[in-house]
């Protein structure tokens, strides 16, 4: 096989030739194809190989069993894994860092969205394949546009909780969504690839804008990063054609720009953040005195209702006012999922003091009579939606649990989903609706999490 006719990149061509020849030698394949960047003609020395072994139904199982043998024709692997996103796939990494995705497909499963290059096709099954992938639609771009703004709101919440690692991750997701928009101005067909090789597609000055956002995140300057993201959205809006511009959620964009530095990525007057001191206090009084120390080991948070932010979502969303008492919430909680009471001695005393401190500060009361209860969230099938690591459970907390103060209804939990449900179950009052208090905004944010879990 003439290796140079494929990519003219020696390492890629050698791997393609050896693996394809091994597969063809068995006489089990109808065709051997390349897809991905190699088939598109934009591969470079860092590209992976998307290799498809096209088989008849009767030979499928035999070829699946032989895949590692075919890969070994290029050399030993340092990593290999089975993946299935609709087609069985072997992911292999070789000692020279070459990455090969080896697929097995019947002819009708190959798909015709993107170009294919036939390495072996004796029956001419793929001789006249014309790619059918359409340009990214206006509707898809509108979703990416709104998703960038959703990410900023969610990242701002993480930032307000001082969970900078999660905030940075969500902000990075926002840049990924943003890259699709920027790329679409120059490469509408493959805009969905986003950041992948985007520096070769868009002008250098545009790419530098995206790099600058990551530089801001690296410095921990979330406000600067958010401002840069909004500036790029503004520029995209200006450069979008009139038909697309009319469909974009400019109201959401306007709200985000007006809220930057106040509701978004700022310490609001109605949010109290309290640092737990490094020293180990022996009494609650020592704990309160230690809050003035400069070096924190953790954060507790309380929300007050004395602000009236603008509400960005669902102006026509029907909300029936009504709030549940702490006792009603406790009964709901114990019946809502499988929990087991924990002795308070098993709970960090510092965490309990932090809860008391926040409640006292928020409500202006003497917290000496507060009554706390702790629950362990059991590992049951019913509880599975509340125990998904990273999405429903805060990463790094090993025992899923709940802390509740019985006289005020104040709650802390390791399960993000449970907290969303608790806030919505607690409800909002008529005053919250009329005054548009912070409690209403909090309610709407948690309601959004439940109604559209993928939005974050």
């Amino acid at each position: 096989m003439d290796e140079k006719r494929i990519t003219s990149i020696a390492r890629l061509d050698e791997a393609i030739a050896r693996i394809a020849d091994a597969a063809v030698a068995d006489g089990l394949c109808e065709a051997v194809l390349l897809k991905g960047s190699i088939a598109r003609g934009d591969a470079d020395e860092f590209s992976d190989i998307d290799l498809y072994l096209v088989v008849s139904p009767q030979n499928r199982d035999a070829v699946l069993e032989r895949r590692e043998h075919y890969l070994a024709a290029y050399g030993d692997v340092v990593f290999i894994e089975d993946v299935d996103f609709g087609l069985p796939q072997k992911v292999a990494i070789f000692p020279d860092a070459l990455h090969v995705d080896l697929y097995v497909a019947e002819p009708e499963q190959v798909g015709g969205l993107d170009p294919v290059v036939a390495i072996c096709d004796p029956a001419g099954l793929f001789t006249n394949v014309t790619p059918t992938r359409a340009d990214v639609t206006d509707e898809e771009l509108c979703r990416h546009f709104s998703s960038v703004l959703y990410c900023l709101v969610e990242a701002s919440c993480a930032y307000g909780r001082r969970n900078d690692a999660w905030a940075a991750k969500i902000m990075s997701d926002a840049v990924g969504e943003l890259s699709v928009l920027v790329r679409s101005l120059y490469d509408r067909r493959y805009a969905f690839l986003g950041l992948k090789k985007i520096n070769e597609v868009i002008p250098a000055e545009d790419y530098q804008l995206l790099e600058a956002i990551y530089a801001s995140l690296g410095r921990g300057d979330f406000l600067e990063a958010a401002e840069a993201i909004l500036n790029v959205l503004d520029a995209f809006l200006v450069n979008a054609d009139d038909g697309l511009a009319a469909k974009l959620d400019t109201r959401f964009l306007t709200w985000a720009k007006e809220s930057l530095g106040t509701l978004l990525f700022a310490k609001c007057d109605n949010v109290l953040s309290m640092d737990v001191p490094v020293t180990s206090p022996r009494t609650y009084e020592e704990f309160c005195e230690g809050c003035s120390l400069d070096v924190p080991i953790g954060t507790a948070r309380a929300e007050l209702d004395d602000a009236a932010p603008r509400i960005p979502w669902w102006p026509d969303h029907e909300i029936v006012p009504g709030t549940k008492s702490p006792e009603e919430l406790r009964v709901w909680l114990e019946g809502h999922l499988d929990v087991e009471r924990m002795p308070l001695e098993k709970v960090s005393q510092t965490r309990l003091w932090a809860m008391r401190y926040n409640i006292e500060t928020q409500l202006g009361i003497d917290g000496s009579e507060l009554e706390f209860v702790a629950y362990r969230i059991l590992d049951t099938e019913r509880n599975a939606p509340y125990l998904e690591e990273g999405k429903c459970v805060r990463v790094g907390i090993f025992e899923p649990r709940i802390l509740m103060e019985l006289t005020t209804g104040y709650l802390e939990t390791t399960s993000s989903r449970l907290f969303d449900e608790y806030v919505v179950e607690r409800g909002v009052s008529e005053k919250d609706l009329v005054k548009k208090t912070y409690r209403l905004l909090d309610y709407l944010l948690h309601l959004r999490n439940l109604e559209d879990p993928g939005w974050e």
Side-chain angles (χ1 to χ4, degrees):
M1 182 180 295
D2 182 3
E3 297 173 4
K4 289 188 178 181
R5 72 178 176 83
I6 304 172
T7 70
S8 296
I9 301 170
R11 184 178 66 145
L12 297 184
D13 289 338
E14 179 186 356
I16 293 167
R18 289 189 181 186
I19 297 169
D21 284 351
V24 170
D26 269 355
L28 298 172
C29 296
E30 303 290 314
V32 180
L33 309 174
L34 288 164
K35 296 186 78 174
S37 60
I38 294 176
R40 290 195 304 270
D42 58 15
D44 58 26
E45 60 181 308
F46 304 105
S47 295
D48 62 356
I49 297 173
D50 295 299
L51 193 62
Y52 285 68
L53 306 180
V54 184
V55 298
S56 61
Q58 57 267 33
N59 289 335
R60 182 177 184 274
D61 289 343
V63 171
L64 288 174
E65 290 293 325
R66 298 281 288 165
R67 287 176 296 170
E68 291 192 26
H69 169 73
Y70 303 149
L71 290 165
Y74 181 64
D76 295 332
V77 298
V78 296
F79 173 80
I80 192 163
E81 182 180 36
D82 284 296
V83 181
D84 193 331
F85 293 112
L87 289 176
Q89 172 188 356
K90 280 282 187 187
V91 177
I93 306 294
F94 291 89
D96 60 357
L98 180 66
H99 170 193
V100 175
D101 291 328
L102 185 62
Y103 299 85
V104 174
E106 295 176 25
E108 65 274 10
Q109 295 176 315
V110 172
L113 284 177
D114 297 309
V116 297
V117 170
I119 302 301
C120 174
D121 184 16
L125 298 175
F126 301 93
T127 301
N128 298 313
V129 173
T130 301
T132 60
R133 180 175 294 281
D135 291 353
V136 172
T137 65
D138 283 1
E139 288 68 28
E140 290 172 314
L141 293 176
C142 286
R143 285 196 293 273
H144 286 291
F145 188 90
S146 295
S147 291
V148 174
L149 296 165
Y150 290 149
C151 286
L152 290 185
V153 175
E154 189 67 8
S156 178
C157 292
Y159 174 77
R161 298 185 185 105
R162 300 191 181 182
N163 188 350
D164 286 1
W166 185 237
K169 193 272 180 189
I170 299 172
M171 291 286 277
S172 182
D173 291 345
V175 182
E177 300 276 0
L178 187 66
S179 69
V180 176
L181 300 173
V182 176
R183 187 170 186 147
S184 73
L185 297 174
Y186 307 96
D187 178 25
R188 189 79 177 242
R189 180 68 41 91
Y190 291 103
F192 70 93
L193 292 175
L195 288 166
K196 190 172 185 179
K197 297 176 75 171
I198 194 173
N199 56 308
E200 299 177 10
V201 176
I202 67 176
E205 57 269 24
D206 288 357
Y207 179 67
Q208 288 167 4
L209 293 176
L210 298 179
E211 280 199 325
I213 297 170
Y214 283 112
S216 298
L217 292 176
R219 295 191 298 271
D221 195 334
F222 292 94
L223 181 61
E224 181 179 86
E227 184 176 11
I229 288 173
L230 292 174
N231 287 339
V232 175
L233 283 181
D234 265 337
F236 174 76
L237 184 61
V238 169
N239 287 284
D241 63 63
D242 292 343
L244 172 59
K247 300 174 186 176
L248 297 171
D249 193 348
T250 54
R251 182 185 63 168
F252 198 0
L253 174 61
T254 300
W255 172 84
K257 289 161 61 178
E258 292 174 349
S259 301
L260 198 62
T262 54
L263 288 176
L264 298 180
F265 300 101
K267 182 177 179 181
C268 302
D269 292 337
N270 64 319
V271 176
L272 168 70
S273 292
M274 183 280 305
D275 294 329
V276 180
V278 171
T279 56
S280 299
R282 290 169 295 178
T283 66
Y284 178 63
E285 288 69 29
E286 286 185 13
F287 170 82
C288 293
E289 291 173 3
C291 290
S292 61
L293 296 181
D294 293 333
V295 184
I297 59 170
T299 301
R301 183 171 180 266
E303 296 169 350
L304 313 183
D305 291 335
D306 58 358
R310 296 178 58 191
I311 306 300
W313 296 292
W314 306 302
D316 302 319
H317 192 93
E318 183 177 352
I319 300 173
V320 178
T323 58
K324 282 187 168 58
S325 69
E327 174 60 19
E328 290 174 318
L329 289 169
R330 182 194 63 78
V331 172
W332 172 83
L333 191 66
E334 292 181 348
H336 188 60
L337 68 171
D338 299 325
V339 295
E340 176 182 85
R341 287 277 186 111
M342 293 174 58
L344 288 180
E345 293 77 17
K346 298 281 189 180
V347 178
S348 163
Q349 189 68 45
T350 303
R351 175 52 60 196
L352 292 174
W353 284 337
M355 287 182 68
R356 174 182 169 183
Y357 182 92
N358 278 276
I359 294 169
E360 287 182 337
T361 306
Q362 177 183 0
L363 301 180
I365 62 174
D366 177 1
S368 59
E369 300 299 322
L370 295 177
E371 183 180 356
F372 296 95
V373 62
Y375 301 93
R376 183 179 293 109
I377 303 176
L378 301 178
D379 186 10
T380 64
E381 183 177 352
R382 181 189 186 193
N383 288 349
Y386 302 93
L387 299 175
E388 186 177 344
E389 179 74 11
K391 183 176 181 183
C392 295
V393 176
R394 298 176 196 171
V395 177
I397 300 177
F398 299 102
E399 183 176 50
R401 53 104 177 121
I402 304 164
L403 297 178
M404 183 178 184
E405 201 291 303
L406 296 177
T407 61
T408 62
Y410 190 95
L411 184 97
E412 283 193 357
T413 176
T414 57
S415 173
S416 302
R417 171 168 174 165
L418 177 61
F419 191 70
D420 289 333
E421 293 178 347
Y422 185 85
V423 172
V424 172
E425 186 70 18
R426 183 181 62 191
V428 290
S429 68
E430 185 71 42
K431 173 189 172 184
D432 295 321
L433 289 173
V434 173
K435 300 281 189 181
K436 293 185 172 60
T437 66
Y438 188 88
R439 185 179 287 261
L440 176 60
L441 177 60
D442 197 40
Y443 174 91
L444 289 175
L445 284 168
H446 290 286
L447 185 63
R448 176 68 174 186
N449 286 343
L450 294 175
E451 292 189 343
D452 186 9
W455 84 288
E456 62 186 1

